[in-house]
Amino acid sequence: MSTEPILEIRDLTRRFQGLVAVNAVSARIEAHKLIGLIGPNGAGKTTLFNLISGFITPSDGDILFEGRSLVGLKPHQIARLGIGRTFQNLRTLPNMTVFDNVSIGALAAFGHSPWQALFRGQGAVSRRINELTHEVLDQVGLSGQAGELAANLSYGRRKYLEIARALATRPKLLILDEPAAGLNDTETAKLAEFITGLVAQGMTILLVEHDMPLVMGICDRVIVLASGAKIADADPETVQRDPAVLESYLGTRDA
């Protein structure tokens, strides 16, 4: 079996004027693994996600997906290569149906623009888009609400709608940005089961999350950022014992 990572970050740096938001970060993400990314507020987590998904460009360094550099590619080009993502602030379209929200992602998987999701006529591609949309809605448990406006969903259901739209792009790597934020304990437990199920089915997931029990309970490996730099990268048990992590993120050690 190949040991090559599906995603490799090499000395990645992003500067915003005088601020170094991501500072020479390197990491390897193996296929079919669930990798957590944690750190205090302002650590550079979202900036790193935005670099990977093409919303901002690096100041230095490289990002390789299946051996191909992503630097310079647009977000839609990166999505078509096989990287899907969700956002910390939900970007569902409230005045569109659940089905149409997901079909936009499905259409992108076939190399079309979101506008074509609304205006495209019937045909082989349209039928496949509809099939894929129904498959994903069933996968996330929203098939019974396909015709409802997204605005009418509960907050927890809208979280799954955000994930569904990313899944509809048929990603090999799924980037989840705080999917458990705002969920109660029962909803978080169900989400954890859903995420680990995706990995069991062969997906690779990179997860940013502030819920430490969730991260430490389901992730194969945890990467820790602080002030834009990587300070730890190991299995959850090792990370929880790391003095640098305890001091910078999980709480200062006892004297």
Side-chain angles (χ1 to χ4, degrees):
M1 181 180 294
S2 173
T3 59
E4 289 300 310
I6 189 171
L7 182 75
E8 185 172 8
I9 301 165
R10 295 180 177 174
D11 296 319
L12 197 62
T13 297
R14 173 64 194 200
R15 305 181 188 89
F16 295 100
Q17 298 180 347
L19 172 68
V20 182
V22 173
N23 189 3
V25 171
S26 295
R28 292 165 59 94
I29 308 300
E30 299 87 358
H32 317 309
K33 298 291 185 181
L34 174 51
I35 309 300
L37 178 65
I38 66 172
N41 290 333
K45 304 183 298 297
T46 296
T47 300
L48 183 60
F49 269 17
N50 286 338
L51 287 165
I52 295 170
S53 51
F55 287 92
I56 56 177
T57 57
S59 301
D60 294 297
D62 204 356
I63 308 162
L64 302 176
F65 180 67
E66 296 187 320
R68 173 178 177 174
S69 177
L70 301 180
V71 175
L73 297 182
K74 302 294 184 182
H76 71 275
Q77 295 173 314
I78 291 173
R80 288 173 191 168
L81 289 177
I83 298 180
R85 72 164 292 182
T86 65
F87 295 86
Q88 181 178 349
N89 298 316
L90 295 178
R91 296 195 179 185
T92 55
L93 301 171
N95 295 320
M96 293 178 63
T97 66
V98 169
F99 184 90
D100 285 341
N101 266 271
V102 178
S103 68
I104 288 175
L107 195 68
F110 287 87
H112 300 293
S113 73
W115 291 108
Q116 290 171 292
L118 301 177
F119 301 114
R120 188 172 183 83
Q122 293 300 311
V125 173
S126 294
R127 286 194 296 272
R128 184 63 189 115
I129 289 167
N130 288 341
E131 291 170 0
L132 177 57
T133 300
H134 282 297
E135 288 171 10
V136 172
L137 287 173
D138 185 62
Q139 185 179 14
V140 302
L142 288 174
S143 57
Q145 296 170 289
E148 292 189 27
L149 291 180
N152 294 337
L153 296 181
S154 68
Y155 182 76
R157 293 284 86 191
R158 279 186 282 146
K159 284 279 190 173
Y160 280 95
L161 179 57
E162 178 90 356
I163 295 172
R165 192 167 56 185
L167 289 175
T169 67
R170 302 190 296 188
K172 300 173 185 176
L173 170 65
L174 179 62
I175 299 175
L176 299 177
D177 195 349
E178 297 197 30
L183 301 184
N184 61 36
D185 290 345
T186 300
E187 291 170 329
T188 298
K190 290 180 179 178
L191 178 67
E193 183 178 354
F194 177 75
I195 291 172
T196 54
L198 292 176
V199 177
Q201 294 166 22
M203 189 167 291
T204 307
I205 295 181
L206 182 57
L207 169 70
V208 160
E209 185 54 65
H210 282 293
D211 187 323
M212 288 300 99
L214 174 64
V215 171
M216 298 303 173
I218 68 174
C219 289
D220 298 300
R221 206 173 84 244
V222 179
I223 299 168
V224 188
L225 299 182
S227 300
K230 186 176 78 171
I231 62 170
D233 185 348
D235 62 86
E237 293 78 10
T238 301
V239 165
Q240 291 179 88
R241 296 193 303 266
D242 190 299
V245 176
L246 292 172
E247 185 170 358
S248 69
Y249 187 77
L250 298 177
T252 305
R253 293 170 294 165
D254 294 334

